Amino acid sequence: MTTQTYLAYDFPLLSVLWTMLAFALWVLWFFLLFKIIFDIFRDDDLNGWAKAGWLAFVVLLPFLGVFVYLIVRGKGMGRRDLEQAREQRRQMDTYVRETAVSRPSAAEELAKLAAMRDRGDITEADFQRAKELVLTDYAPQASAPPTATPPPGDGPAQG
């Protein structure tokens, strides 16, 4: 057995740190590369040939292509990111406004119940039960029970 085996504890700490740094930079590089590729396709100002040219430049010469793209169009990337975030926010706000349902007031619900009773869809007893439910549902909820006041004459004698 002439082959020497290196185990994890044989690996120097500094080499581990350099390896981790190199790996992190490698991951960041790919993140930047894909962000630029997505930005090329997202940009509406570029025509098809310009997009194809930038994409070929970034894919075939990745280091030079990414650096040149960042120098030439880097400011626009931030602007497009901001516009996209604003558009997504606007769409979310519109969706929430359209889907949020306001609760009808007690008066509206009682008017509907009265109309149903007048048409004969529900009986008077059903109307009274539904009316009680509506009124108790819309009644203000007390956060603390009311304090009991003693009836007159039960307090300490004054005199």
Side-chain angles (χ1 to χ4, degrees):
M1 297 209 15
T2 60
T3 307
Q4 188 174 4
T5 305
Y6 289 103
L7 300 175
Y9 56 81
D10 292 330
F11 205 69
L13 181 61
L14 187 59
S15 294
V16 171
L17 292 176
W18 279 114
T19 303
M20 289 172 47
L21 179 65
F23 181 74
L25 290 174
W26 185 72
V27 168
L28 287 173
W29 168 253
F30 277 104
F31 176 77
L32 181 62
L33 180 68
F34 285 112
K35 182 153 179 67
I36 287 176
I37 291 172
F38 287 133
D39 186 66
I40 290 171
F41 285 109
R42 175 179 57 186
D43 190 6
D44 292 333
D45 295 338
L46 292 176
N47 63 19
W49 288 107
K51 287 182 182 184
W54 274 114
L55 187 64
F57 189 39
V58 167
V59 170
L60 296 177
L61 299 170
F63 290 107
L64 183 63
V66 164
F67 292 133
V68 169
Y69 188 86
L70 287 175
I71 292 169
V72 174
R73 301 184 50 83
K75 211 177 242 187
M77 279 180 68
R79 184 182 37 79
R80 284 185 291 278
D81 280 341
L82 187 61
E83 287 173 3
Q84 182 183 17
R86 285 182 180 155
E87 178 64 21
Q88 286 177 344
R89 176 62 184 243
R90 188 192 61 76
Q91 288 177 357
M92 183 65 178
D93 290 344
T94 302
Y95 172 76
V96 168
R97 255 185 259 109
E98 290 174 355
T99 56
V101 181
S102 63
R103 184 176 170 189
S105 68
E108 292 172 345
E109 288 193 24
L110 289 175
K112 288 179 186 176
L113 285 171
M116 291 172 65
R117 179 191 60 194
D118 294 342
R119 283 194 313 259
D121 293 341
I122 59 174
T123 65
E124 182 64 31
D126 291 336
F127 173 76
Q128 291 301 325
R129 275 192 303 250
K131 180 179 165 184
E132 288 175 19
L133 286 174
V134 168
L135 293 176
T136 56
D137 190 34
Y138 281 91
Q141 301 294 325
S143 59
T147 58
T149 57
D154 286 347
Q158 304 215 359

